[in-house]
C-alpha cells in the first residue's frame, strides 16, 4: 500500500517512521516538520493524499481535521481510506466520515493511547470507529504502529472510546494525587502507601503504572521533574472533549466536569502548562484545605 501521512509532530512523525521501516511507501506532509528518513515530502496535504491507498492524519483538533479533510478528500482515489488518528470531538469525526463516504472513500476515526513513547516503540493502542471493510484495509498498518487495535463500532465510536477512557484517567490521576498529599500530611510513608494501594482495592493505572510520586513505583514523568509524558494541557483538551460529548448526549458526568475544572485551573492559572498531567501531586502538596 501507498501511504499518505499528514501531521508529523511528536506522535505522527514516529508513527510514519515505523511504517517506513516496515517497507511501506510513505509520502508525508506537515507545515513545520520534515518527514522521517525514507519518506517522500509532499508540498501540500492534497499532494500527500494523491494516489495513496490509505491517508493517515494526526492533527491538533476537530476544526483542523475538517479543514484538512476538505482538502484531501477530493484528491484521494476512489476506494482509498482516510484514517484519522487525532483525538477530536465525535461530531467532527462523524462529519468527516460522512464526507468521505459521499466521495466513495472509506473512513476511520482511530485515536490512540500510549503517548510519544508508544508512538516511537510501535506499541500504541488504537480505538477505531468506521466500517468493517475500512478497518480490514488499515489493520496491517495498525499492527505495525501499535500493539492493539479495537474496532469499537461505527463512525465516531473510536473517539467516544478515547474520550471516555481519558475522562477516567483524568479523574483517577486527581484522586491518586489527592491521596498521596493526604498520606503525606498523615505521616504515611509514600512507599508504604504505594505498597498497600497498588495491591488493594485502590489500585489503578495512575497508581500502578504511572505513579505521580517520585521514586515510587515504575519509572514515570514524576522521576524526571514532571516533564511530559502526557502534558496537562492535553489532558485538559480531552476532558473538555468529554464534557462537550456529555452535553451533546445529555449525560451526567460530575466527576469528569470537576476534573476538567481542576485541570483548567492548573493549566491556565497555575504552573501546569508544559508539565506532565501527574504534576497535580505537587499542586496538592502545596495547598491546604481552605
Amino acid at each position: 500500500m501507498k501511504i499518505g501521512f499528514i501531521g508529523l509532530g511528536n506522535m505522527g512523525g514516529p508513527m510514519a517512521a515505523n511504517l517506513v521501516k516496515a517497507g511501506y511507501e510513505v509520502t508525508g506532509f506537515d507545515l513545520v516538520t520534515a518527514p522521517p528518513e525514507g519518506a517522500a515530502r509532499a508540498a501540500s496535504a492534497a499532494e500527500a493524499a494523491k494516489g495513496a491507498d490509505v491517508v493517515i492524519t494526526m492533527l491538533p483538533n476537530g476544526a483542523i481535521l475538517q479543514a484538512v479533510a476538505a482538502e484531501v478528500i477530493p484528491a484521494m482515489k476512489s476506494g482509498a481510506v482516510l484514517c484519522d488518528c487525532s483525538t477530536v470531538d465525535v461530531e467532527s469525526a462523524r462529519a468527516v466520515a460522512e464526507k468521505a463516504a459521499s466521495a466513495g472513500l472509506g473512513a476511520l476515526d482511530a485515536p490512540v493511547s500510549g503517548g510519544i513513547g508508544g508512538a516511537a516503540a510501535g506499541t500504541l493502542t488504537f480505538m477505531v470507529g468506521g466500517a468493517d471493510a475500512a478497518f480490514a484495509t488499515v489493520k496491517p498498518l495498525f499492527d505495525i504502529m501499535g500493539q492493539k487495535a479495537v474496532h469499537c463500532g461505527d463512525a465516531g465510536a473510536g473517539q467516544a472510546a478515547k474520550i471516555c477512557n481519558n475522562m477516567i484517567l483524568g479523574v483517577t490521576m486527581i484522586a491518586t494525587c489527592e491521596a498521596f498529599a493526604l498520606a503525606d500530611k498523615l505521616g504515611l510513608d509514600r512507599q508504604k502507601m504505594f505498597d498497600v494501594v497498588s495491591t488493594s482495592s485502590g489500585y489503578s493505572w495512575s497508581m500502578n503504572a504511572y505513579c505521580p510520586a517520585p521514586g515510587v513505583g515504575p519509572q514515570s514523568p514524576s522521576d524526571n521533574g514532571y516533564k511530559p509524558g502526557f502534558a496537562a494541557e492535553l489532558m485538559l483538551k480531552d476532558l473538555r472533549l468529554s464534557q462537550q460529548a456529555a452535553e451533546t448526549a445529555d449525560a451526567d458526568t460530575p466527576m469528569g466536569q470537576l476534573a476538567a475544572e481542576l485541570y483548567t485551573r492548573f493549566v491556565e492559572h497555575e504552573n501546569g502548562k508544559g508539565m506532565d498531567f501527574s504534576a497535580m501531586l505537587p499542586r496538592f502538596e502545596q495547598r491546604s484545605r481552605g
Side-chain angles (χ1 to χ4, degrees):
M1 286 188 286
K2 292 177 64 177
I3 313 299
F5 209 114
I6 300 163
L8 299 167
N10 290 333
M11 293 293 295
M15 291 165 67
N18 285 332
L19 294 175
V20 172
K21 290 173 189 173
Y24 284 96
E25 182 181 341
V26 178
T27 300
F29 174 74
D30 190 280
L31 291 172
V32 177
T33 307
E37 185 176 352
R41 184 170 193 167
S44 67
E47 184 181 316
K50 189 175 181 180
D53 299 293
V54 176
V55 175
I56 300 172
T57 53
M58 179 60 89
L59 302 166
N61 58 53
I64 293 173
L65 168 64
Q66 294 206 54
V68 169
E71 180 181 350
V72 302
I73 285 173
M76 292 173 66
K77 67 180 184 180
S78 180
V81 177
L82 176 59
C83 176
D84 178 51
C85 293
S86 321
T87 297
V88 301
D89 58 288
V90 175
E91 290 78 9
S92 290
R94 289 176 175 162
V96 167
E98 186 176 333
K99 289 174 184 175
S102 297
L105 305 172
L108 298 173
D109 51 287
V112 304
S113 178
I116 296 168
T123 57
L124 297 170
T125 294
F126 292 85
M127 295 149 268
V128 189
D132 291 341
F135 180 77
T137 296
V138 184
K139 181 66 162 61
L141 308 183
F142 292 145
D143 290 342
I144 290 162
M145 297 184 290
Q147 62 182 345
K148 188 174 186 180
V150 179
H151 191 192
C152 299
D154 295 334
Q159 296 297 345
K162 174 65 182 289
I163 288 167
C164 291
N165 179 79
N166 279 25
M167 185 173 71
I168 294 170
L169 178 59
V171 170
T172 56
M173 180 55 76
I174 288 172
T176 303
C177 293
E178 286 182 355
F180 269 112
L182 175 59
D184 289 347
K185 293 184 179 183
L186 294 174
L188 176 60
D189 179 78
R190 285 182 169 183
Q191 184 63 52
K192 300 299 184 187
M193 159 87 166
F194 177 84
D195 291 345
V196 170
V197 175
S198 65
T199 56
S200 299
S201 56
Y203 80 93
S204 68
W205 188 87
S206 296
M207 174 66 76
N208 291 43
Y210 208 90
C211 185
V216 178
Q219 192 83 8
S220 73
S222 67
D223 298 305
N224 191 30
Y226 294 99
K227 294 177 183 176
F230 184 47
E233 55 265 35
L234 294 180
M235 173 52 76
L236 175 57
K237 171 193 169 183
D238 290 354
L239 287 166
R240 284 175 169 168
L241 286 173
S242 78
Q243 294 314 291
Q244 180 180 337
E247 185 172 347
T248 301
D250 192 24
D252 185 21
T253 57
M255 296 298 292
Q257 181 177 345
L258 181 55
E261 292 169 359
L262 284 168
Y263 273 103
T264 296
R265 198 178 309 158
F266 184 50
V267 170
E268 296 184 353
H269 304 291
E270 299 172 354
N271 66 339
K273 189 173 183 180
M275 302 286 282
D276 190 77
F277 83 114
S278 62
M280 275 284 182
L281 176 53
R283 176 195 186 274
F284 283 118
E285 286 176 320
Q286 296 160 11
R287 297 177 65 85
S288 62
R289 191 165 180 83

